[in-house]
Amino acid sequence: MNDAPQAPEPATLDTIALDPITVEVIGAALSSIVEETGEALVRASYSTNIKERRDCSTALFDRDGRTLCQAEHIPVHLGSFLDFIPMVLALHDAAEMRPGDVFVGNDAYKGGGTHLPDIVLAEPIFIDGDLVAWTVNLAHHSDFVDRAHAHIYQEGLRIPPIRLWRAGELQKDVQDLILLNCQVPRERLSDLRAQMAANRVGVRRFTELCAKHGTGTVLASGKALLDYAERKMRAGIAALPDGSWRFEDVFDTLDFDDPIPLAVTVTITGDEIALDFEAPPQVRSGINMTRTALLATAYYIVKSVVDPTVLPNAGLARPITVRAPQGSLLSCSHPAAVNGRVQTCQRVADLILGALAQAAPKKVSACTNSGCSVATFSGTRTSGPEAGHYWVYLETIGGGGGARPTADGLDGIHVHATNTSNLPVEALEVEYPLILERYELVDGSGGGGTHRGGMGLRRVYRATEDCMVRVDITRILSTSWGLLGGEPGAGGSFAVSPSAAPFERGVGTLRAGEWLEIVTPGGGGYGPPADRAPSAIEADGRNDLIAAE
């Protein structure tokens, strides 16, 4: 029998007596829950994209859909979480929800998502019959390949928030509909089951927390944690100078011949900050960003500069205003394609950094590689036990981090809105008809400076069976800027075997024996190169990080 008190209404939460130690204990417990659910998802999953590359996220939300805590996984995934619970509540009567209901969705316009491969599962948490919170997770399902990206209808199956499970019973017809529209349904089914397992962990742990401390105390502490995050953000913003700073950059992509101009004006007034973006109209390409993707990117980068210790919950967003023209590349409208939105998110993050560098140069890094270089391979196996089965392999490749005010930039890392791991060579070659021939840092690709920019990566794949390939890469026509006299990093590139048919805008075919090389951009340097410590220069030369001259 559960003797925990029933969930109080929000209006009464302020009357519950709390002390700082209790709030801190419950805050740590919420963080522990989302981290544990994340590990459960990774360990139970089947696809390499989740079990090895960890392309997934977990979070807890209050009953109204405000973020209580998000695991330290992928910042851009917040964009798929922000509107999901509010959309569920708008489409489904909360009074008719029951324990064991699970909602699934991915759509960028009617499902709260940012692109279709990111499928969200959300489960309401009930205490004594009252809805008190939600456990939510997202997994990037590597599917929906070999498609065009002129509009959303070409990019995959669109799922509004609907029940996948009803009162603990699987809605098999819904699951069958989803799997029928997937190209690798065996992986999708296994990963969806892993997501279910993760949600069950979240429900169990949150229920146990309420039984231990009392439901009212847990919910009141959640509200207090939102307020605390807001106070921390406001204090951090207030410590920056008032003013307005504008920064411009270009976004280059294989989809277009000419770079796309972008700009932001950051205005700080007291303890509030506003970001006003300038962008061209949305395009017939998958690089458009939904508004929630823009918000997730802006919240992440402002938090990282203002105060990285602020709790990752909805309270941190309260002092931040984000504006962009609706129907533009940075805040698109239906039916714009969005599959490659993370490339644009990365450029937006460095765009904001460029503006904030003028206000607080000692709190920001130089420009990172500004991208998320992606190679997607797919085909039908022609040999071995998997002969006849379709396969999809997605790889996101790190690059150079921007040099920091007191240290060199990190080499070969994911930056900003992405945070996935690489796929180990052993796993890659066992799972797919590919051989990795080179995987190395690119000498000299980091921008020079008092502190050197991080180096990009070179990754060379050789196909052992025929396959289709799509490459998404940026900083081919531009470079990552340095800061305070630092030099720019080297740009990115890709190349294929001379025998391979020419790729058209990054899309082509490799026959067995042909290779693909991807070189990712380096990060910008910080400070004048002439001020670099002699010992650091000597070490750079000894490690072949810079040319002898």
Side-chain angles (χ1 to χ4, degrees), residues 397-464:
I397 309 170
R404 295 160 287 175
T406 59
D408 291 345
L410 297 174
D411 301 320
I413 60 164
H414 279 267
V415 296
H416 296 325
T418 65
N419 191 30
T420 53
S421 302
N422 68 180
L423 182 63
V425 176
E426 298 82 358
L428 167 63
E429 296 183 350
V430 166
E431 299 256 6
Y432 304 106
L434 297 166
I435 293 175
L436 195 63
E437 297 201 329
R438 297 179 70 179
Y439 185 26
E440 61 193 6
L441 296 170
V442 181
D443 293 345
S445 56
T450 307
H451 301 293
R452 173 183 57 80
M455 293 185 289
L457 291 169
R458 175 180 287 107
R459 204 159 161 96
V460 181
Y461 309 83
R462 185 177 296 275
T464 59

Side-chain angles (χ1 to χ4, degrees), residues 125-192:
I125 302 174
F126 289 85
I127 303 293
D128 292 336
D130 292 312
L131 172 59
V132 297
W134 295 79
T135 179
V136 184
N137 68 63
L138 177 156
H140 180 118
H141 291 256
S142 294
D143 216 297
F144 307 149
V145 297
D146 190 15
R147 295 170 184 263
H149 298 281
H151 49 72
I152 191 72
Y153 295 102
Q154 294 182 340
E155 296 196 305
L157 175 66
R158 300 175 63 193
I159 311 170
I162 56 177
R163 282 182 175 87
L164 180 60
W165 290 69
R166 185 183 294 271
E169 182 177 348
L170 172 67
Q171 306 301 286
K172 190 173 182 301
D173 53 350
V174 175
Q175 178 177 279
D176 290 345
L177 175 63
I178 293 173
L179 296 178
L180 182 63
N181 284 274
C182 294
Q183 291 167 271
V184 193
R186 292 187 305 163
E187 280 191 4
R188 304 291 70 75
L189 176 59
S190 297
D191 287 345
L192 285 170

Side-chain angles (χ1 to χ4, degrees), residues 165-449:
W165 290 69
R166 185 183 294 271
E169 182 177 348
L170 172 67
Q171 306 301 286
K172 190 173 182 301
D173 53 350
V174 175
Q175 178 177 279
D176 290 345
L177 175 63
I178 293 173
L179 296 178
L180 182 63
N181 284 274
C182 294
Q183 291 167 271
V184 193
R186 292 187 305 163
E187 280 191 4
R188 304 291 70 75
L189 176 59
S190 297
D191 287 345
L192 285 170
R193 288 172 173 170
Q195 289 184 261
M196 274 300 305
N199 270 346
R200 286 171 180 154
V201 171
V203 171
R204 185 184 313 119
R205 294 291 183 259
F206 194 89
T207 302
E208 292 169 350
L209 184 66
C210 290
K212 181 176 182 180
H213 295 281
T215 305
T217 299
V218 171
L219 299 185
S221 296
K223 183 175 182 298
L225 289 165
L226 299 186
D227 295 340
Y228 178 55
E230 178 184 3
R231 292 196 301 273
K232 289 262 289 180
M233 280 297 292
R234 289 190 181 278
I237 294 169
L240 299 175
D242 281 5
S244 186
W245 300 271
R246 189 173 187 274
F247 190 78
E248 302 176 4
D249 201 352
V250 294
F251 175 43
D252 52 295
T253 166
L254 296 174
D255 287 354
F256 298 98
D257 294 330
D258 299 319
I260 299 170
L262 299 173
V264 66
T265 298
V266 173
T267 302
I268 298 175
T269 307
D271 62 359
E272 297 190 348
I273 186 169
L275 293 79
D276 291 280
F277 291 92
E278 301 167 33
Q282 62 195 44
V283 294
R284 287 176 65 85
S285 163
I287 61 173
N288 301 290
M289 292 172 63
T290 62
R291 175 165 174 76
T292 54
L294 178 63
L295 291 176
T297 305
Y299 295 161
Y300 148 75
I301 199 69
V302 172
K303 172 185 180 296
S304 69
V305 173
V306 169
D307 186 348
T309 68
V310 172
L311 298 172
N313 65 40
L316 69 85
R318 293 172 183 169
I320 306 173
T321 300
V322 180
R323 291 181 285 259
Q326 190 59 38
S328 70
L329 183 74
L330 303 187
S331 185
C332 62
S333 300
H334 179 270
V338 293
N339 188 69
R341 88 287 186 235
V342 73
Q343 303 289 349
T344 319
C345 291
Q346 298 287 73
R347 190 57 47 87
V348 165
D350 275 326
L351 193 70
I352 300 169
L353 269 189
L356 289 174
Q358 301 169 61
K362 297 297 184 182
K363 294 177 71 76
V364 306
S365 72
C367 185
T368 72
N369 68 84
S370 296
C372 177
S373 301
V374 180
T376 306
F377 302 82
S378 59
T380 300
R381 296 301 300 259
T382 60
S383 60
E386 295 293 308
H389 287 290
Y390 197 77
W391 60 278
V392 176
Y393 166 52
L394 178 143
E395 176 83 283
T396 58
I397 309 170
R404 295 160 287 175
T406 59
D408 291 345
L410 297 174
D411 301 320
I413 60 164
H414 279 267
V415 296
H416 296 325
T418 65
N419 191 30
T420 53
S421 302
N422 68 180
L423 182 63
V425 176
E426 298 82 358
L428 167 63
E429 296 183 350
V430 166
E431 299 256 6
Y432 304 106
L434 297 166
I435 293 175
L436 195 63
E437 297 201 329
R438 297 179 70 179
Y439 185 26
E440 61 193 6
L441 296 170
V442 181
D443 293 345
S445 56

